[in-house]
Amino acid sequence: MIPYGRQSVSQQDIDAVVEVLRSDWLTQGAVVPRFETAVADYCGAAHAVAVNSATSALHIACLALGVGPGDLVWTSPISFVASSNCARYCGADVDFVDVDGETANLSPAALERKLAAAKRNGRLPKVVIPVHLTGQSCDMEAIHALSRRYGFRIVEDASHAIGGSYRGEPVGNCHYSDIAVFSFHPVKVITSGEGGMATTNDAELAGLMALLRSHGITREPELLTREPDGPWYYEQLELGYNYRLTDIHAALGLSQMARLEAFVRRRNEIAARYDEALGGLPLRPLGRQQDAYSAYHLYVVRLDLARLSRSHRDVIVALRDRGIGVNVHYMPIYRQPDYARFGVNAQDFPEAERYYGETISLPLYVDLTEDLQDEVVAAMREVLAP
Ligand SMILES: *Cc1c(COP(=O)(O)O)cnc(C)c1O
């Protein structure tokens, strides 16, 4: 099966990991801060806090912004469940904003409508989490302008988008947000095995997240609230977690950072080749966000079902039968059984519903050869033949 995504690990990556294994520190030693600096510098953010997953990063980002019981967090329904679970971990309630009909990113127009209604009902969100679906930035300027008007904070779920840019600036520079979060899961653009990172320009938020990732404990003299009892002394200042990234994982992530630009360039090449090769078939690629350079975590097409004799499901099954590991990213989160408790009405999300009913993610990863890509295209031509 040709998978929809997979990691690319070089000998250099392996050597970097082995070097850590031979060193004195396995967890959060010298390599984690180097990885943080590499990502912060790349993105042009003042601070970066590495954690063991993007899920953990989203959780401590919400906590750092003060999300708690009684608060409301909004995100995109077309995302991985972690985008909204983070709010629930904090005891907050979750609601969704419909996506744009072209890009399937959180729609600023839908957000504006929902905010106006929420203001009338006195139920405005504390935090909105736009998701840069497939690696393509949301319309952050519009979302940021709304945050000023309605007083919410912004966490970018940039799990798909490291290496992408918006208006010529790297995603993750937090120009239009409080915090941005990256994932280094193996299917994502770069990997650390498991891992995540939060970037921010706010020193206080960075400090809070650094505390929360490690039990809320500090030994920093300037943070201690009392006179130390002795050299062993540390203080727990917040109820934190063990969300630390290990140096082993950070070494892989840091090594992969060196190839990030080449990875994203290659991903864009593969995407452009699909655009060209799939021309004429009853489908169209996901719409492009203006002013955004996508990191192309995923290559998504929308089927033109009116021109097809097969159903969406049949197309996917037929492709899988031919060894093409196509997928759907994602079922709207509110459709998950565990979300039934929020009583979300699918009819309020016509674009998310339409997206779910007609999209397919095709294989896209840096080591996908032209021959393999041609196999994917040939299978598509066969399955979508009239
Ligand atoms: C992968 C992903 C996450 C979670 O990332 P982990 O590092 O696996 O925790 C969160 N949000 C989105 C949009 C993702 O794709």
Side-chain angles (χ1 to χ4, degrees), residues 43 45-51 53-67 86 127-132 140 143-144 147 152-159 170-182 196-210 212:
C43 297
H47 309 275
V49 178
V51 286
S53 70
T55 303
S56 304
L58 288 165
H59 182 195
I60 61 173
C62 286
L63 287 174
L65 291 171
V67 172
C86 55
V127 171
V128 172
I129 307 181
V131 180
H132 303 320
M140 289 308 298
I143 295 168
H144 180 253
S147 80
F152 58 85
R153 311 293 292 271
I154 300 175
V155 176
E156 296 172 72
D157 185 342
S159 291
V171 170
N173 72 353
C174 300
H175 197 125
Y176 301 98
S177 67
D178 295 285
I179 298 170
V181 166
F182 296 121
M197 192 135 5
T199 58
T200 181
N201 294 318
D202 183 322
E204 201 172 316
L205 290 176
L208 250 174
M209 290 192 288
L212 288 166

Side-chain angles (χ1 to χ4, degrees), residues 38-371:
V39 173
D41 287 354
Y42 182 85
C43 297
H47 309 275
V49 178
V51 286
N52 57 3
S53 70
T55 303
S56 304
L58 288 165
H59 182 195
I60 61 173
C62 286
L63 287 174
L65 291 171
V67 172
D71 289 329
L72 191 52
V73 173
W74 291 357
T75 187
S76 168
I78 301 297
S79 186
F80 185 56
V81 291
S83 303
S84 55
N85 284 346
C86 55
R88 295 179 57 192
Y89 297 151
C90 303
D93 291 323
V94 173
D95 200 355
F96 300 94
V97 179
D98 203 7
V99 296
D100 180 85
E102 290 302 313
T103 64
N105 274 331
L106 189 142
S107 157
L111 178 60
E112 185 164 11
R113 283 195 296 275
K114 198 169 174 111
L115 285 165
K119 188 167 183 187
R120 289 193 294 275
N121 304 330
R123 224 15 210 140
L124 283 166
K126 184 163 204 166
V127 171
V128 172
I129 307 181
V131 180
H132 303 320
L133 190 73
T134 76
Q136 165 164 271
S137 176
C138 295
D139 184 355
M140 289 308 298
E141 189 172 53
I143 295 168
H144 180 253
L146 290 168
S147 80
R148 286 297 169 89
R149 228 163 85 204
Y150 289 93
F152 58 85
R153 311 293 292 271
I154 300 175
V155 176
E156 296 172 72
D157 185 342
S159 291
H160 298 182
I162 195 165
S165 63
Y166 173 68
R167 308 219 154 166
E169 294 176 9
V171 170
N173 72 353
C174 300
H175 197 125
Y176 301 98
S177 67
D178 295 285
I179 298 170
V181 166
F182 296 121
S183 171
F184 309 123
H185 181 280
V187 295
K188 304 288 164 71
V189 178
I190 62 165
T191 189
S192 62
E194 291 276 3
M197 192 135 5
T199 58
T200 181
N201 294 318
D202 183 322
E204 201 172 316
L205 290 176
L208 250 174
M209 290 192 288
L211 207 57
L212 288 166
R213 79 171 153 189
S214 191
H215 310 280
I217 283 173
T218 187
R219 293 171 189 277
E220 307 254 340
E222 64 272 24
L223 293 180
L224 298 179
T225 64
R226 300 186 204 134
E227 206 47 45
D229 294 341
W232 64 85
Y233 189 78
Y234 57 80
E235 287 182 355
Q236 178 180 329
L237 302 174
E238 297 270 345
L239 181 61
Y241 301 83
N242 183 351
Y243 282 170
R244 289 185 307 265
L245 187 68
T246 75
D247 262 26
I248 304 168
H249 293 86
L252 178 53
L254 179 61
S255 180
Q256 294 243 308
M257 274 303 286
R259 284 187 293 154
L260 173 58
E261 281 193 353
F263 279 180
V264 171
R265 211 178 309 122
R266 176 74 192 124
R267 286 178 171 277
N268 273 271
E269 270 169 26
I270 294 170
R273 200 161 175 271
Y274 270 138
D275 287 348
E276 173 104 22
L278 299 173
L281 290 178
L283 55 78
R284 62 198 165 94
L286 195 64
R288 299 289 146 74
Q289 171 67 46
Q290 242 191 331
D291 304 323
Y293 172 63
S294 180
Y296 268 111
H297 161 51
L298 298 170
Y299 185 84
V300 171
V301 294
R302 289 177 181 277
L303 298 181
D304 185 354
L305 292 169
R307 286 166 61 202
L308 277 170
S309 48
R310 286 173 187 261
S311 70
H312 177 235
R313 182 200 168 112
D314 280 353
V315 168
I316 291 172
V317 169
L319 286 165
R320 286 193 175 215
D321 284 348
R322 285 164 175 76
I324 314 298
V326 291
N327 222 314
V328 177
H329 298 94
Y330 300 86
M331 176 170 85
I333 296 173
Y334 53 72
R335 283 176 167 247
Q336 295 291 347
D338 191 45
Y339 275 78
R341 70 187 76 203
F342 294 102
V344 171
N345 187 349
Q347 281 148 21
D348 293 339
F349 302 92
E351 292 302 339
E353 290 294 309
R354 193 162 67 88
Y355 175 93
Y356 181 51
E358 65 185 28
T359 55
I360 308 181
S361 305
L362 302 185
L364 171 54
Y365 48 91
V366 292
D367 296 330
L368 183 75
T369 61
E370 293 202 343
D371 283 351

Side-chain angles (χ1 to χ4, degrees), residues 8-26:
S8 170
V9 173
S10 69
Q11 187 58 45
Q12 199 179 334
D13 293 337
I14 293 167
D15 294 345
V17 171
V18 169
E19 195 180 319
V20 170
L21 290 171
R22 296 216 161 97
S23 75
D24 291 336
W25 287 97
L26 294 189

